[in-house]
Amino acid sequence: MTAAAEVDQVPAQEQSLEIWQRKGPGSPSDLIGQELVREFTKETGIPATMTSISDNFEIKLQQRAVQRNLPDIVINDTAQLGNMQSQGFLREIDPEQIEGSKDINERAWDGARSYFGGYYGVPMTAHTVALFNRKDWRENLGLPVPDDWDSLVAMWRGYVEDDPTGTGEQVAGIAVPGTTERGYISWNTSTFFWSGGGEYFEETPEGYRSAVADDSAVAAATWIRDLACTEGVLQPGASSQDTTNTKETFQTGGAGSFLVAPYELPALVDSLGDDLEVIPPPPGPAGLITLAEGNNVYLMAGSASESAQERFAEYVISPEGQKIGMAGHEDGNIVRLPVNSTVDMDGMRDPEEWETFQELYDNNGRYVPAVPNWTPFLTASANTLNALISDCSLDVRTEMEELDEVFTAELADQEVLAP
C-alpha cells in the first residue's frame, strides 16, 4: 500500500521517529517502552515518541498505510511479518548493515526472515511457552511432576475430580484461551499439536503441501479435542475465552495449569508465590516441540528517517537496550529472553524461574512456518479447533480434511503450493 517508493530523506541531524508497539496504553509494558525510547533519545540525540496500541492494531496500521503515513518503527509479533511484508509495509534490511547483528541469536533471526529469504525485521525479544502449574494442588494430591502425556492428563483429571483445594469447589485441569480471536486456540495449542506429531505443512523443494489431514495431524487434533470432550479438563466456556480471561481463570484458582510465555511470569509469581511452579510441557508422541515467537523491530516503508530507524534497531539489540527492555523481574517486560548472546540474565532475574524458558527456547522452540503470510492459516486452524472443542459430535478427520482444503487453496493463493 505505501510501497517501496523511494522517499527523500531528511538530513540525519533532523531525523525523528514515531514508534508504535502492540501494548496497552498506560500498562507496565507501555511504561517500559517509554523508558526505552527516552534512553535512546538521550544516547543518540534523535527525538522519538512511543505510542502503545492494543485495540485494532492492524486496522489502525492499515489506515495509516492508506494515508501513506506509516509510523517509522513498529514493534510487533514475529508471526505478523508475512502479513505486513505482503502489504508492502516493511523495508528489507541487510543484517550486515545493522551494528551488533552478529551478537543476535541465530534462532531469533529465523523469526525475522520471510519465505522468500530476505530479512524484514530486527529481532528484539524471543520466548517460548512453558506450563504454569499449581504446585500446591499437585502436592495436595500426591502427584509427581508429569513426564509424559498420560501423567499430564492424569494430573488434570485429578484437579477436576479429587478436590485439590480442599474446599469442594469445582476447578478445571487447564485453562486454555479457546476463542478464534487472533487465532488464540491454534496459537495456544500448537505446542501440543506439534508434540503430538501434527504438522501444518510438508515443505518440498517446489513449495508447501498441506499436512493437516495426515494421520499424525488428525491424531494430534483428536488429543486436543479430547481434553474438552472426553477428559473434561478444560475450563467452562474455554471456546469463548481470550488470553486475558484465561489468565484470570488460572490466577484466581479456577484451573490448575496454564500454558503460556514468560511475559506472565512476574504477575503470576507475585500473585501465587510458592504455590506456582513452571515446568516444561511433557513430551508427546513426537517428542517436545514448543512454540517459539517474539517481537521484531520493523523498519517501516516510506520513512524519511531511515538512518534513525537503523539507529533505533541497533540500540534495542545492544546490551543496554536489551537490559532496559528486560526490566529485571518487573511486570510488563518487553524483552522476555534476550536475543543478544552477550547479555546474561544472571543478576537481573531469578535464574531458576527464567532458565526453564531459555532452555526450552534453545532446545525445543519452533517458529511458525515461514509461509508468505501465516495469518490466514492461523485463522483457519483456529476456526477448526474451536469448532472441535465446542461441538463434540463433530468428526475430527472430516473437520481436518476440510481444513486441508482451505490450507491448499490458501497455499495456491500465496503461490507457494507444491505441484
Side-chain angles (χ1 to χ4, degrees):
M1 289 169 134
T2 64
E6 292 188 9
V7 175
D8 292 337
Q9 296 296 292
V10 173
Q13 66 274 17
E14 299 176 16
Q15 292 189 8
S16 62
L17 295 175
E18 180 187 10
I19 303 167
W20 284 14
Q21 66 170 351
R22 187 205 292 278
K23 305 293 180 188
S27 66
S29 295
D30 178 30
L31 299 180
I32 293 169
Q34 300 292 346
E35 179 185 358
L36 180 68
V37 169
R38 283 195 303 272
E39 293 301 318
F40 163 74
T41 297
K42 186 184 299 184
E43 174 74 20
T44 64
I46 298 171
T49 60
M50 168 71 84
T51 300
S52 293
I53 300 170
S54 57
D55 295 332
N56 300 316
F57 188 91
E58 276 76 25
I59 293 174
K60 292 174 182 177
L61 200 58
Q62 289 171 347
Q63 290 170 342
R64 289 288 296 269
V66 170
Q67 299 165 12
R68 294 185 178 273
N69 184 30
L70 286 168
D72 301 286
I73 295 284
V74 165
I75 300 172
N76 201 0
D77 301 342
T78 55
Q80 288 295 319
L81 185 150
N83 185 31
M84 293 195 293
Q85 191 268 336
S86 66
Q87 296 180 79
F89 291 0
L90 307 180
R91 283 178 57 196
E92 184 174 1
I93 65 158
D94 178 0
E96 296 290 332
Q97 300 303 311
I98 302 296
E99 184 178 344
S101 65
K102 289 184 170 57
D103 293 329
I104 302 306
N105 185 307
E106 185 176 345
R107 185 184 293 269
W109 278 114
D110 290 342
R113 184 171 55 223
S114 81
Y115 169 81
F116 301 102
Y119 292 91
Y120 287 87
V122 177
M124 173 181 175
T125 175
H127 60 260
T128 187
V129 296
L131 196 67
F132 288 68
N133 191 58
R134 288 296 298 258
K135 179 181 179 182
D136 56 332
W137 293 11
R138 180 178 62 77
E139 292 182 341
N140 287 346
L141 299 179
L143 297 171
V145 174
D147 58 5
D148 57 24
W149 275 11
D150 287 342
S151 58
L152 179 64
V153 173
M155 181 180 72
W156 289 337
R157 291 187 65 178
Y159 293 163
V160 172
E161 299 171 358
D162 298 333
D163 191 19
T165 67
T167 65
E169 295 182 4
Q170 187 67 42
V171 297
I174 179 173
V176 172
T179 179
T180 59
E181 179 187 350
R182 296 193 66 209
Y184 277 133
I185 184 171
S186 181
W187 164 81
N188 190 259
T189 60
S190 57
T191 292
F192 295 136
F193 184 70
W194 282 325
S195 298
E199 294 289 348
Y200 298 104
F201 309 110
E202 176 189 352
E203 187 172 4
T204 76
E206 293 80 27
Y208 286 105
R209 180 190 70 81
S210 171
V212 293
D214 292 359
D215 288 347
S216 55
V218 172
T222 299
W223 188 86
I224 294 167
R225 190 278 305 268
D226 285 351
L227 296 179
C229 295
T230 302
E231 307 296 345
V233 296
L234 297 192
Q235 81 276 26
S239 63
S240 62
Q241 289 195 353
D242 60 18
T243 53
T244 301
N245 307 137
T246 306
K247 174 185 174 182
E248 183 178 357
T249 297
F250 175 70
Q251 196 167 19
T252 58
S257 294
F258 182 26
L259 184 72
V260 75
Y263 45 73
E264 300 292 4
L265 184 57
L268 292 174
V269 168
D270 288 345
S271 61
L272 298 177
D274 292 339
D275 291 339
L276 178 73
E277 61 185 355
V278 179
I279 58 178
L288 176 56
I289 304 168
T290 61
L291 174 65
E293 53 184 4
N295 287 344
N296 292 327
V297 174
Y298 293 106
L299 283 54
M300 306 302 281
S303 174
S305 299
E306 291 185 356
S307 63
Q309 288 177 310
E310 293 162 9
R311 289 289 299 279
F312 182 75
E314 290 167 351
Y315 183 78
V316 168
I317 65 175
S318 72
E320 180 182 359
Q322 291 277 285
K323 289 175 181 177
I324 293 170
M326 287 168 67
H329 194 65
E330 293 180 35
D331 191 13
N333 56 75
I334 57 176
V335 173
R336 287 88 190 225
L337 300 177
V339 295
N340 188 318
S341 60
T342 71
V343 175
D344 192 344
M345 287 192 292
D346 286 352
M348 294 193 65
R349 292 171 168 167
D350 181 346
E352 185 178 351
E353 294 173 342
W354 285 90
E355 278 303 316
T356 295
F357 288 101
Q358 186 70 65
E359 291 172 6
L360 284 169
Y361 177 78
D362 291 341
N363 300 324
N364 308 96
R366 179 194 288 185
Y367 285 92
V368 298
V371 288
N373 186 359
W374 169 245
T375 301
F377 299 103
L378 177 66
T379 299
S381 57
N383 289 337
T384 295
L385 290 171
N386 178 271
L388 287 173
I389 69 168
S390 301
D391 183 353
C392 297
S393 69
L394 295 176
D395 179 70
V396 178
R397 181 170 293 280
T398 299
E399 297 301 309
M400 296 301 283
E401 288 175 349
E402 291 179 2
L403 179 62
D404 182 76
E405 294 177 2
V406 174
F407 268 35
T408 299
E410 183 61 37
L411 288 170
D413 286 346
Q414 295 190 21
E415 300 181 350
V416 292
L417 179 64

